[in-house]
Amino acid sequence: MVINSEGLHIEGNSLIVNTEDSAEGDSKTLRNDLAFGTGVTTTMGNASLNTRVINTVVEVTQAFSAGAEVEVGISGDTAGICDAAYVDLQTVGTYQVSSNYLFSSATDTDVLMTYAANGATAGAATVTVTFA
């Protein structure tokens, strides 16, 4: 391990920007798979006080049949982070939703993925929420 004159940690030819421990406090990414048989509400993880959502990405890898919908939020505001109107689960593609959602609770808050099948019998996607 080498620390250069600017205080940066260098190993071999690699610059280490952060470690698992430092990344945990600075940023976080939650990721969950979504399929047509997924339950109505899935707890993706949690966020701490003053954590801000940077973006939400929904990658639809297999189009959902019927009128399936997904949204991301918290208890009492299930679409607060990502409203279903911004994601077309019936079309394969990547949907990115920028959000400025700020967690203001003094305790950790569960981040919820809420799914409405609306008769869907097929479909697959991955939902990713990134925080700062």
Side-chain angles (χ1 to χ4, degrees):
M1 174 176 79
V2 174
I3 302 206
N4 71 8
S5 61
E6 294 158 1
L8 299 174
H9 177 183
I10 300 172
E11 276 190 28
N13 293 327
S14 300
L15 169 66
I16 297 179
V17 177
N18 61 26
T19 63
E20 182 178 344
D21 290 337
S22 69
E24 183 66 28
D26 300 334
S27 65
K28 186 179 210 178
T29 299
L30 302 176
R31 181 174 291 119
N32 278 89
D33 290 330
L34 175 65
F36 71 91
T38 299
V40 174
T41 302
T42 301
T43 301
M44 297 182 70
N46 60 54
S48 302
L49 175 65
N50 293 327
T51 299
R52 186 173 302 276
V53 175
I54 297 171
N55 68 2
T56 301
V57 175
V58 179
E59 183 179 1
V60 180
T61 54
Q62 178 187 358
F64 285 72
S65 58
E69 296 180 332
V70 67
E71 55 192 19
V72 179
I74 63 170
S75 179
D77 188 7
T78 58
I81 295 171
C82 177
D83 191 281
Y86 298 115
V87 179
D88 181 3
L89 291 178
Q90 287 74 53
T91 304
V92 171
T94 301
Y95 302 87
Q96 181 170 326
V97 178
S98 295
S99 175
N100 203 21
Y101 192 90
L102 179 66
F103 290 87
S104 57
S105 175
T107 59
D108 285 354
T109 303
D110 287 339
V111 177
L112 307 175
M113 176 177 69
T114 304
Y115 171 67
N118 296 329
T121 58
T126 301
V127 178
T128 305
V129 180
T130 304
F131 305 94

